[in-house]
Amino acid sequence: MDKGKRSSGGSGGDDSIYRIPPYYYIHVLDQNSNVTRVEIGPRTYIRQDHERVIFGPQKMIMVPPRNYCIIENPAQKDKDGAVVLDKTGQIKLSHADQEIRLSQDPFPLFPGEVLKQAVSPLKVVPANCALRLRAVLDYEDASGEKRVAGDEWLFEGPGTYIPRKEVAVDETIRATIIKPNQAIKLRARKETQDREGNLRVTGEEWLVKKVGAYLPGAYEEVVDVVNAYVLTEKKALHLRANRTFSDSKGVKRKNGEEWLIKMEDNEAHIPDVYEEVVGVKDIITLNNRQYCVILDPVGADGKPQLGQKKLSKGEKSFFLMPGEKLEKGIQNVFILGEDEGIILRANEGFKDTLCDCERKPGDKWMMRGPMEYVPPVEVDVLTKRKAIPLDENEGIYVRDTKNGKVRAITGVTYMLNQDEELWSKELPPAVENLLMSMKDPLADRGVRGATAVAEREKTKVVTLRVPHNASVQIYDYKEKKARVVFGPELVMLGPDEQFTQLSLSGGKPKRPNVIKSLCLLLGPDFCTDIIVIETADHARLQLQLSYNWHFEVNDKKDEKDAAKLFSVPDFVGDACKAIASRIRGAVAGVQFDDFHKNSAKIIRASVFGFGENQKVRDRFLFPQNNLVITSVDIQSVEPVDQRTRDALQKSVQLAIEITTNSQEAAARHEAERLEQEAKGRLERQKNLGRSRSRESPKGTVGTSGQQCSR
């Protein structure tokens, strides 16, 4: 219940007596005139029958010092401060208007008035702050300045802002602190005058570099805080102009122009609003053994000389100007020893001061050490050369770039000149594999399928060690001539020479292209082959034969005689086929029993043939390559048919048994004969003794008897 209200049993507006305390009020509606009036306490109000209390009792609004409130639809008052009434007695209101009331005595709200904003403290603006105010109605302030709706201005602190109904507070602005080596970038929101009195157009930007607190104006906005670039002796600032303007030193800069700011110009530089920082450049330092070539150098007029070059030698320190760049960075001076040189080429005509001669574009020459050399800008360094030391058994292939000739250099220390280059000699893959497999042709001749263990340097002369009692054929494709080298010897191939590769038959029975080799062994050696023959009575036998062979070389200096060695590509297969053919032909006319008994004789006769006096020869010569077969060894004879093999085995066993039995009978017969002979000699001796004893006297007989008994 409201304070002072007494209930009479009806609703809140139907009570008849209202006790209104001090600083309280009520609204009473006269139902006859439809006019609402205000009754203010302290008093006791007795309601009439045609009246009705529609509001209250309500406490009056109290605005303490440094506070305010906003009343909407305020009551109109005259000059004396009295409320103005219309002809019906109704209080006149300023509809859709507002009134800001500051500290005053408590007051009631008249009918129709609305408390739009409750009592609030006034806004205190501290130092380095301001309120941005905007006029919503045209008015004239206390100082006589006229404000038009839309105008903006600042209320700067320190101070207390007294609000007005014609003014709206947009925002609170705080000052920006500018430190040393800092600046703030401002932009004008509309045409205005800055704090230094300079006129600024809409969108214009400028810097404020003064150290301290800066409060932007009503039409100014802070874009950014710009920090200064601190420059040292080793760093410079690369700038570019965004538009044509005059910098802080009064130099006119055109749009797109680039320049450097060094420490001697400014120790700390704050880029202007029309200056774009491209980057920070480091100083370039050259010692007394370095140089560099600058492309598009800046001339005395400060403009780049496009297409030009500039040589800079150490000791020196400098910054690259905008537009300049190093051709190949910082380069070291060429220090050449006695066994070193460099190949040079002229890009344009110039006078060479070292040799006091004119160089034409495209000329190539070599500078040999010992010396220090810095190439001028007209010269390109193609390559650096070093002398190649070569032993007597080492060499390199060198190609002349002018005429294309290739030659082999061996046994000297050689440096390629400007018209020479190393030439790579290509070999067939099979020959390459044989050379780099590191196999000994004599000791490792039984090893098959060895692979290369290293990669050959193709610019070095190809060498091959030919072992004792071996030979190698080399063919020169330029001279169209072959030569044969006998071991022991070190073979070095010329640029146009190639090895003759041997592809021999191998295995048992012989298969072609099994043995790959570059060296031809001269023997004596042996080879083993397995052949199948058929006798006259169609018995098929498998023979394993071993042939001893060697090459017969009468004169190693005779080229024709030496070339015969390589006239047959596969001498092993050719010899084995020829021998097998002879054996098959001879055995085909012999019965199995005869061959079984005389196999060695038949095979030797078929291979070597008969000489004078029908004697078997002791050698078989192949005249094409002077290959000599000296002996044939029959290692095994086996029938191909299993039944023949079993029958032969039985016959052999039977023959062995017969031979054993005959030998046992002969031995037994001989033993019996010897026994009979011994018994006969004994009986004869006994008879002889008896006859002597009869003929001799008694004493003698006694003695003889004793001897006989002994």
Side-chain angles (χ1 to χ4, degrees):
M1 295 288 294
D2 291 335
K3 185 177 180 181
K5 182 184 290 185
R6 187 186 69 174
S7 175
S8 61
S11 62
D14 296 334
D15 294 338
S16 56
I17 299 174
Y18 287 85
R19 292 181 175 84
I20 305 173
Y23 301 111
Y24 277 74
Y25 66 96
I26 62 173
H27 288 179
V28 180
L29 174 63
D30 188 342
Q31 295 182 346
N32 291 334
S33 61
N34 258 348
V35 175
T36 303
R37 69 180 186 277
V38 178
E39 296 292 340
I40 300 174
R43 63 174 292 187
T44 299
Y45 173 71
I46 300 174
R47 182 179 64 83
Q48 303 295 324
D49 291 339
H50 64 278
E51 294 177 341
R52 185 180 179 187
V53 177
I54 60 175
F55 184 75
Q58 182 69 29
K59 189 177 182 179
M60 293 183 182
I61 297 174
M62 301 178 65
V63 181
R66 303 190 63 79
N67 283 266
Y68 74 101
C69 66
I70 299 178
I71 304 299
E72 191 174 10
N73 304 326
Q76 297 181 7
K77 295 182 180 180
D78 55 13
K79 296 180 180 179
D80 298 332
V83 177
V84 179
L85 303 177
D86 58 7
K87 59 183 180 179
T88 61
Q90 180 73 32
I91 298 174
K92 285 188 176 182
L93 302 177
S94 297
H95 293 283
D97 198 1
Q98 294 180 356
E99 181 181 351
I100 296 176
R101 298 179 183 178
L102 302 177
S103 177
Q104 55 183 286
D105 293 336
F107 60 90
L109 287 179
F110 291 101
E113 291 183 338
V114 178
L115 181 63
K116 184 176 182 181
Q117 180 176 328
V119 177
S120 304
L122 294 174
K123 185 171 292 188
V124 178
V125 181
N128 294 329
C129 288
L131 298 178
R132 177 179 288 171
L133 306 179
R134 176 170 49 85
V136 295
L137 296 174
D138 296 345
Y139 79 101
E140 183 176 349
D141 59 12
S143 62
E145 184 177 357
K146 293 183 178 181
R147 302 285 186 183
V148 182
D151 282 353
E152 294 183 5
W153 67 98
L154 295 182
F155 178 81
E156 299 182 10
T160 301
Y161 173 68
I162 307 298
R164 295 179 60 97
K165 66 177 182 179
E166 299 90 353
V167 179
V169 179
D170 285 345
E171 61 176 336
T172 301
I173 300 176
R174 297 183 181 276
T176 302
I177 306 301
I178 303 176
K179 299 178 182 179
N181 293 331
Q182 273 189 345
I184 58 172
K185 183 189 291 187
L186 302 176
R187 182 189 294 125
R189 296 193 297 118
K190 62 176 290 185
E191 294 183 0
T192 184
Q193 187 175 7
D194 62 13
R195 294 187 180 276
E196 296 180 359
N198 299 320
L199 295 177
R200 304 293 182 182
V201 297
T202 304
E204 183 180 355
E205 295 181 351
W206 69 98
L207 293 180
V208 175
K209 303 179 181 179
K210 185 178 180 181
V211 178
Y214 181 82
L215 193 62
Y219 296 114
E220 297 174 358
E221 60 179 354
V222 178
V223 178
D224 192 12
V225 176
V226 182
N227 293 316
Y229 288 86
V230 179
L231 305 179
T232 63
E233 295 179 351
K234 297 181 179 180
K235 292 185 181 296
L237 194 61
H238 184 188
L239 301 177
R240 181 191 294 125
N242 291 330
R243 56 168 287 182
T244 302
F245 75 105
S246 296
D247 61 12
S248 57
K249 294 187 177 181
V251 180
K252 188 175 182 181
R253 304 292 184 182
K254 294 184 178 180
N255 188 10
E257 182 181 352
E258 298 182 4
W259 68 98
L260 286 184
I261 301 294
K262 304 177 185 178
M263 191 183 72
E264 52 264 26
D265 300 328
N266 197 354
E267 292 183 356
H269 182 75
I270 300 176
D272 196 73
V273 291
Y274 302 121
E275 294 176 353
E276 177 187 354
V277 178
V278 179
V280 177
K281 288 197 172 185
D282 295 327
I283 196 170
I284 296 175
T285 303
L286 303 176
N287 59 28
N288 58 356
R289 287 291 181 271
Q290 291 177 333
Y291 73 98
C292 65
V293 177
I294 303 174
L295 300 178
D296 304 331
V298 175
D301 56 353
K303 296 181 179 179
Q305 302 173 357
L306 300 179
Q308 299 294 324
K309 294 182 180 180
K310 178 183 176 182
L311 178 65
S312 182
K313 302 179 184 179
E315 299 176 355
K316 191 176 184 181
S317 295
F318 62 94
F319 289 101
L320 281 180
M321 301 300 291
E324 295 180 343
K325 57 183 178 181
L326 298 181
E327 185 177 24
K328 295 181 181 178
I330 299 176
Q331 305 178 63
N332 294 323
V333 174
F334 290 93
I335 301 175
L336 305 178
E338 293 182 355
D339 58 343
E340 293 179 326
I342 52 175
I343 306 299
L344 307 175
R345 182 178 61 193
N347 289 328
E348 55 183 277
F350 74 102
K351 185 175 182 180
D352 193 345
T353 57
L354 293 178
C355 65
D356 195 17
C357 59
E358 293 290 335
R359 300 288 187 185
K360 296 180 180 179
D363 282 353
K364 291 170 63 177
W365 69 99
M366 171 182 276
M367 300 294 296
R368 297 177 180 268
M371 66 178 302
E372 291 183 4
Y373 184 73
V374 178
V377 294
E378 300 87 2
V379 174
D380 280 344
V381 178
L382 298 182
T383 183
K384 187 175 181 180
R385 296 280 171 84
K386 190 170 183 179
I388 304 173
L390 302 173
D391 192 16
E392 293 181 358
N393 297 330
E394 294 180 330
I396 55 174
Y397 296 112
V398 178
R399 180 175 180 267
D400 193 320
T401 57
K402 285 188 174 181
N403 53 30
K405 291 183 179 180
V406 181
R407 57 197 177 101
I409 307 295
T410 59
V412 296
T413 299
Y414 190 77
M415 183 188 297
L416 300 176
N417 60 29
Q418 68 273 11
D419 297 320
E420 292 177 342
E421 64 180 3
L422 290 176
W423 182 74
S424 297
K425 182 175 179 62
E426 299 292 339
L427 295 176
V431 176
E432 191 92 33
N433 193 25
L434 289 172
L435 283 174
M436 302 311 297
S437 61
M438 302 301 178
K439 282 179 25 178
D440 187 282
L442 186 61
D444 300 331
R445 63 184 185 276
V447 180
R448 303 284 187 268
T451 57
V453 298
E455 187 175 353
R456 179 178 66 90
E457 293 187 27
K458 296 184 178 181
T459 57
K460 287 189 175 182
V461 170
V462 180
T463 59
L464 176 65
R465 290 179 175 85
V466 183
H468 176 69
N469 203 25
S471 62
V472 173
Q473 187 182 44
I474 301 167
Y475 188 80
D476 191 332
Y477 285 89
K478 184 177 181 180
E479 300 293 336
K480 296 182 179 179
K481 184 179 179 182
R483 62 187 176 99
V484 178
V485 179
F486 293 92
E489 186 65 55
L490 179 69
V491 177
M492 304 180 72
L493 284 188
D496 300 307
E497 290 181 336
Q498 292 287 348
F499 289 111
T500 299
Q501 180 187 353
L502 299 176
S503 182
L504 306 178
S505 298
K508 294 184 291 186
K510 287 291 181 279
R511 291 178 291 107
N513 303 323
V514 173
I515 302 174
K516 307 288 186 181
S517 178
L518 300 178
C519 295
L520 176 64
L521 302 180
L522 301 181
D525 205 341
F526 70 93
C527 66
T528 304
D529 192 12
I530 296 176
I531 63 174
V532 178
I533 61 173
E534 186 174 352
T535 60
D537 51 358
H538 303 291
R540 292 173 58 83
L541 302 176
Q542 178 177 288
L543 305 181
Q544 180 169 331
L545 306 176
S546 179
Y547 317 122
N548 285 356
W549 59 268
H550 69 272
F551 284 98
E552 194 174 70
V553 182
N554 298 324
D555 186 6
K556 293 184 178 181
K557 296 182 179 180
D558 187 358
E559 295 182 359
K560 293 183 178 180
D561 197 16
K564 278 187 175 184
L565 299 175
F566 295 89
S567 60
V568 179
D570 184 4
F571 75 92
V572 174
D574 183 67
C576 290
K577 288 179 181 179
I579 295 174
S581 176
R582 289 194 172 202
I583 294 174
R584 290 192 187 97
V587 174
V590 179
Q591 296 294 327
F592 173 73
D593 292 339
D594 294 339
F595 177 75
H596 186 65
K597 295 176 182 179
N598 305 309
S599 59
K601 183 178 180 181
I602 294 172
I603 290 175
R604 285 181 56 83
S606 63
V607 174
F608 298 113
F610 293 96
E612 297 178 358
N613 301 324
Q614 293 299 315
K615 291 181 62 178
V616 179
R617 297 190 183 96
D618 57 355
R619 53 184 282 166
F620 176 30
L621 174 65
F622 290 87
Q624 295 87 355
N625 57 352
N626 290 338
L627 177 65
V628 179
I629 306 297
T630 57
S631 67
V632 178
D633 180 22
I634 305 172
Q635 295 181 343
S636 67
V637 178
E638 293 183 1
V640 177
D641 187 16
Q642 184 65 33
R643 290 179 298 175
T644 306
R645 187 181 304 170
D646 295 340
L648 180 61
Q649 187 174 1
K650 290 180 181 179
S651 64
V652 171
Q653 291 177 355
L654 184 59
I656 292 173
E657 289 178 2
I658 293 172
T659 304
T660 304
N661 293 335
S662 63
Q663 289 177 355
E664 288 179 355
R668 190 167 50 251
H669 178 71
E670 182 68 19
E672 291 176 355
R673 186 182 64 80
L674 293 176
E675 184 180 0
Q676 292 294 332
E677 287 182 357
K679 288 180 179 181
R681 284 196 300 270
L682 182 59
E683 289 295 329
R684 184 179 178 183
Q685 188 69 24
K686 288 179 179 181
N687 294 333
L688 182 61
R690 290 190 192 102
S691 63
R692 286 181 180 177
S693 64
R694 291 174 184 170
E695 292 177 359
S696 61
K698 292 182 178 179
T700 307
V701 173
T703 305
S704 299
Q706 292 177 359
Q707 292 179 352
C708 291
S709 64
R710 293 176 184 174

